[in-house]
Amino acid sequence: MQRWKRWVWGCAGAAGLMSGCMAHGPPPRELVDARTAYQRVSVNPTVRQQSAEPLTEAYHALLAAEREYDRSKDSAKTRSLAYVALRKAQLAETQASIAVAQHQRTVAAQALRQTQEAQRRQSQAQLDAAQQQLLEARRLRDEAAQLAEARRLQSQTAQLQQEAQRRQEEMDRLAQAQRQQSEASAQSQRLAQVEQELEAERRARAEAEARANQEREARAQAEAQAATALENLARQGEVKVSEDARGTVLTLSGSVLFASGATDLLPSARDRLVEVAEALKPTGNTLTIEGHTDAQGSDHTNEMLSLRRAERVRDFLVTQGVPAGRVEVRGMGEYRPVASNGTAEGRANNRRVEIILQRDEPTGIGGSGPGVPR
């Protein structure tokens, strides 16, 4: 099995696969997009529940693209396979969205049926009440007609009808006034609630912007301090500071840190790593510590030696206040030489430990406005 395959399966799945392929240099944009899309959908519980099979297909498609990239770098076949992996990840996400939409449509249809049934029942009740009122009105009308037939009661009947009409009109006016008052009160309450919500939103946005400004100022100050500290380390000559696609890279010679074939830090290395820790602590960026060896010895021995050395550096940085959650370690063995292993000087350059200060992605404030680089 090739070295990258052993390393991929050791990192547990697609996440390790994507992070391990950085050794070839910047991958094609299609492969980066496919990795990003698969990472997004693979952690989405809805996609994992509703589109398990398409998600599996997306994973295998991405794995094929990564293998082709390992063989042919930025080739047309690599880009084509990466594009297929991207589309399969998007298809899994789309199918999950369709399933959720169908479920929501079913729920909405059921709610609509329930609402229609409630409205039908209410209309039936209103119709029954109206019919009852109509029957009652007819009965009263018949009684009034009978009373009208009697001459001695004709005057009383007219007076009663006039009084009834007057009372009905008065009741109608009172009912209309009550309805208008209720509507005005409800509208006032709605306006007051809207004003309170707007004021709360304005205060929340102002507080969020103030916090974001403080965070930006603190991060800028921390990055300036870190940059100054890194420049001082580079001027001293025992730490090389450079920039590449991974971020800011601090390279420490293996001979400065460890005795030959050993994994315990030398006393002088501890002093140097104290300075490195002080330079890295102010930043909030993720750190990747990579151990490297020359080509002497077996692959397995070199991989284990480089991993243990990277772990020793991580453990020491953690004791100096660098948060353990920010640090990842990798044992690269002889996999990424920076010089020829055919000379003593080249092998010495290859025996090294690299501390990569990864670049953070831009973030936004409160979900609105452009992202602010950190």
Side-chain angles (χ1 to χ4, degrees), residues 134-147 161:
L134 179 60
L135 291 175
E136 182 66 16
R138 287 175 179 175
R139 186 183 65 80
L140 292 175
R141 184 189 62 190
D142 293 341
E143 291 178 355
Q146 292 175 1
L147 291 174
Q161 290 176 346

Side-chain angles (χ1 to χ4, degrees), residues 58-175:
Y59 167 77
H60 288 296
L62 179 59
L63 183 61
E66 295 286 3
R67 288 174 174 168
E68 183 61 30
Y69 175 62
D70 187 63
R71 286 192 295 268
S72 61
K73 308 298 185 296
D74 187 8
S75 67
K77 187 174 182 180
T78 297
R79 293 192 298 273
S80 177
L81 290 174
Y83 179 80
V84 171
L86 171 63
R87 290 309 182 195
K88 286 183 177 294
Q90 293 174 340
L91 176 61
E93 188 173 32
T94 300
Q95 290 183 352
S97 299
I98 292 173
V100 171
Q102 290 175 344
H103 175 71
Q104 292 175 345
R105 184 167 59 250
T106 300
V107 172
Q110 183 179 3
L112 177 60
R113 289 194 297 270
Q114 293 174 351
T115 301
Q116 291 174 340
E117 178 62 20
Q119 292 176 345
R120 186 192 66 78
R121 292 176 181 176
Q122 183 179 7
S123 299
Q124 184 63 43
Q126 292 174 347
L127 178 60
D128 293 342
Q131 290 176 345
Q132 186 65 30
Q133 292 175 355
L134 179 60
L135 291 175
E136 182 66 16
R138 287 175 179 175
R139 186 183 65 80
L140 292 175
R141 184 189 62 190
D142 293 341
E143 291 178 355
Q146 292 175 1
L147 291 174
E149 292 177 359
R151 293 181 178 180
R152 68 182 182 85
L153 298 177
Q154 185 175 8
S155 177
Q156 295 179 0
T157 301
Q159 293 176 358
L160 289 173
Q161 290 176 346
Q162 291 176 359
E163 181 64 17
Q165 183 177 1
R166 186 188 66 78
R167 290 185 178 182
Q168 183 62 45
E169 291 175 353
E170 182 65 22
M171 292 177 62
D172 291 343
R173 286 194 297 270
L174 290 175

